[in-house]
Amino acid sequence: MSNKYRFVTKFFLQSICFVISFGALTHNSSSLANGGSDYSIRNGGTVFWGVRTAGGGEIITNEIGFEYGIGTNETSLLYENLVFDEQDVGKTFTVTATEDPDFNLIVEKLTNGIIDDVFLNLTFANGDKIESTTSDSLGNTDFQGWEINSIDLVINSLEITTPGNDPNGDGNWTQVTYDVESIINVTKVPEPSPLGGLLGLCCLGGITLLKKFT
């Protein structure tokens, strides 16, 4: 093998080693955005927002509802067609685009690069809203760059009592105390790798050298 081909071969090998080394140095596993005061990171692939509160209203019932939404939009909601009772304690209710057509609208809000508040309304089966809890924010950013696969509602505890504390003294009251979690399951969207561009530049340089020696 002539010296010029040895040189070009050596150039290619060194270039490939450089690209591999550069990739090893610059590859960092991404972490979720800080979840603010209410959302917290769990298991690297989910964030959860825990809600513990109580409410009541002038109705006698043993069933309630939850509405999960973003910002001030109370028309695109998750879980609004479900009814919950004390038998649902310990259960997880998962929503994707298959279960709820509003899922994609919620995901669009959560990944648009703008900080949006998340709210969870507690309602009675007749549609009356009796409690609304709002997270402070999703932190310094939203989930831009992350793919949201599903959103879970976990019922940790739920107590529905009638007439409860009966503030009006007429027996027409239902008291609700609940502990739930909203869990967002995410996957990091792969970022374009710089390795392809570096390898292309190295190949271009090698071809240029090869033409020069031939």
Side-chain angles (χ1 to χ4, degrees), residues 3-12 14-15 201-214:
N3 290 334
K4 62 181 179 181
Y5 287 110
R6 286 195 183 95
F7 175 80
V8 173
T9 301
K10 183 178 180 182
F11 175 83
F12 270 116
Q14 289 179 337
S15 297
L201 289 174
C202 293
C203 290
L204 181 62
I207 293 172
T208 303
L209 287 174
L210 184 60
K211 288 182 177 179
K212 181 179 179 180
F213 284 112
T214 56

Side-chain angles (χ1 to χ4, degrees), residues 135-154:
S135 72
D136 290 344
S137 72
L138 296 179
N140 297 327
T141 183
D142 69 350
F143 295 102
Q144 189 175 51
W146 293 85
E147 179 181 353
I148 296 179
N149 306 307
S150 62
I151 299 178
D152 298 337
L153 183 68
V154 182

Side-chain angles (χ1 to χ4, degrees), residues 54-59 64 122-124 128-132 174 176:
E58 295 179 342
I59 189 175
I64 63 165
L122 173 64
T123 66
F124 283 129
D128 291 341
K129 183 169 65 176
I130 59 174
E131 184 78 8
S132 181
T174 296
V176 182

Side-chain angles (χ1 to χ4, degrees), residues 8 10 33 48 50 58 76-77 81 85 91-92 111 124 129 134 145 150 155 161 167 183 200 208 213:
V8 173
K10 183 178 180 182
F48 77 99
E58 295 179 342
S76 299
L77 302 168
N81 295 321
D85 59 29
K91 295 181 180 179
T92 298
T111 57
F124 283 129
K129 183 169 65 176
T134 305
S150 62
I155 312 296
T161 56
I183 300 179
T208 303
F213 284 112

Side-chain angles (χ1 to χ4, degrees), residues 166-185:
D166 194 15
N168 300 324
D170 58 3
N172 185 32
W173 192 263
T174 296
Q175 187 75 22
V176 182
T177 303
Y178 61 96
D179 178 344
V180 301
E181 290 178 355
S182 164
I183 300 179
I184 302 176
N185 302 295

Side-chain angles (χ1 to χ4, degrees), residues 13 53 75 87 99 113 142 151 154:
L13 291 175
T53 188
T75 58
Q87 300 302 312
E99 288 81 21
D142 69 350
I151 299 178
V154 182

